[in-house]
Amino acid sequence: MALAELGCGHGPRHRTHLSERVQRWMTVPRGLSRGLRRFLPGGLTPWHWRGLRVTLEPGSVIARVVRVTGGFEDAEIDIAAALFGALYPDRCIVDVGANVGLHSLAWARLAPVVALEPAPDTFARLEANVAANGMQNRVRTLRTAAGDTVGEVNFFVAADSGFSSLKDTHHVPIRDQIKVPCTTLDALAVELPLPVGLLKIDVEGLERAVIAGAAELLLRDRPVLMVEIFEGVDSNPDPIGTVEDIRAYGYEPYVYASGSSMLNLDAMDDAGLMPYEKHRDNRYNYFFVPRPPA
């Protein structure tokens, strides 16, 4: 998710001002020599994070966040790990929209991970990161999208891979349009040796299609869900409907509010994991916890 696209529920003018502030905050000084730039996260050398060696996409939003903060979605990764460990420690994890593999690599220390990433160049980075950390036996990588059908689908390759998707969300320019394989999570689950205990979905607005293709998995395995839901301009057209779709499977929704005042103007009053009340684009990472049986 691009920080430059985040809104805080105070109208378009406020979102524009926030975008400008965040962009300035994340910009590396132009005078910095190229020789030094290459050693920063997102450059040509691996980034050392959580005892892992990770190569990021140069110039991507993820790389810029890492460069400034030293991490990426660390709190969300740890919340998901804690929920998984408390409920389903002997199961596997599925990461839909794995990008270069940050979440997958962090979680692979807990359980086997299946990482789905359809963009060819991004998938190559994902595979390289898995190999660089000797985790080929812990992370199974699949170059496929997930949705509500099995077959081939159109895929929009964005200038920043974090915004590549099955549609153009108009966050960044589209570099190419290609065909990629697509599966449903119900079809994938049939092949898995373990039930799914944690399911992450980051698909730039196509969350409802992924959920529709996972109906049997959700009813059978009842995994913890970490889902990015962002309305933006052309991402998810119905965030509230998406939350209700998942609720209908017997889940309780929570949202994560950043503790950074750069991303959450209410950080001094509310930050961390909290019950969902209404959708706000600056709280786009949702956690869905299965309700206990009646």
Side-chain angles (χ1 to χ4, degrees):
M1 172 57 59
L3 296 182
E5 301 295 333
L6 293 180
C8 287
H10 295 277
R13 182 178 179 184
H14 174 81
R15 286 195 292 271
T16 299
H17 290 166
L18 179 64
S19 171
E20 292 171 353
R21 287 163 52 201
V22 171
Q23 289 283 22
R24 286 197 300 270
W25 178 61
M26 288 169 40
T27 299
V28 176
R30 291 184 179 179
L32 198 62
S33 71
R34 290 188 178 183
L36 181 56
R37 280 172 181 259
R38 72 188 298 274
F39 293 104
L40 295 174
L44 302 178
T45 55
W47 166 46
H48 294 268
W49 171 75
R50 295 184 174 223
L52 300 164
R53 297 173 70 250
V54 183
T55 300
L56 304 173
E57 177 187 350
S60 66
V61 165
I62 292 175
R64 295 202 301 273
V65 172
V66 167
R67 182 173 291 167
V68 172
T69 68
F72 184 79
E73 296 194 352
D74 287 84
E76 291 95 321
I77 288 171
D78 290 340
I79 290 168
L83 292 171
F84 171 80
L87 295 175
Y88 306 119
D90 298 322
R91 296 187 178 190
C92 72
I93 297 171
V94 175
D95 185 354
V96 180
N99 200 265
V100 299
L102 297 183
H103 299 74
S104 291
L105 290 170
W107 291 332
R109 290 166 168 161
L110 304 175
V113 177
V114 180
L116 282 63
E117 175 52 53
D121 291 348
T122 311
F123 180 78
R125 279 197 179 89
L126 168 64
E127 282 199 308
N129 285 331
V130 170
N133 291 282
M135 289 191 173
Q136 297 94 325
N137 293 330
R138 298 293 289 173
V139 181
R140 176 187 173 193
T141 57
L142 299 175
R143 193 176 76 78
T144 183
D148 55 4
T149 59
V150 176
E152 270 198 337
V153 293
N154 289 324
F155 187 78
F156 294 83
V157 181
D160 180 333
S161 67
F163 301 105
S164 297
S165 177
L166 299 186
K167 67 176 184 177
D168 181 0
T169 60
H170 298 98
H171 287 303
V172 297
I174 297 301
R175 187 161 48 85
D176 198 5
Q177 187 173 344
I178 61 175
K179 294 282 189 180
V180 300
C182 183
T183 188
T184 66
L185 293 181
D186 283 339
L188 174 65
V190 172
E191 308 172 12
L192 300 180
L194 296 171
V196 178
L198 171 62
L199 170 60
K200 168 184 162 275
I201 302 173
D202 182 353
V203 291
E204 301 302 311
L206 277 297
E207 296 78 32
R208 297 185 91 170
V210 176
I211 293 299
E216 294 177 13
L217 184 156
L218 296 179
L219 291 171
R220 181 187 65 247
D221 292 354
R222 315 288 293 136
V224 172
L225 305 180
M226 176 181 169
V227 186
E228 180 187 283
I229 303 176
F230 182 78
E231 183 174 18
V233 178
D234 283 314
S235 289
N236 188 318
D238 188 3
I240 296 172
T242 304
V243 173
E244 294 307 317
D245 283 355
I246 300 172
R247 258 184 165 160
Y249 286 98
Y251 281 86
E252 203 61 44
Y254 297 83
V255 293
Y256 176 74
S258 173
S260 168
S261 58
M262 292 299 302
L263 307 179
N264 176 13
L265 295 184
D266 301 319
M268 296 298 291
D269 300 318
D270 57 359
L273 191 65
M274 58 189 65
Y276 162 81
E277 294 178 350
K278 64 178 181 179
H279 176 77
R280 292 168 56 176
D281 264 354
N282 68 322
R283 299 177 180 179
Y284 52 83
N285 276 326
Y286 283 70
F287 292 87
F288 294 86
V289 180
R291 298 190 197 103

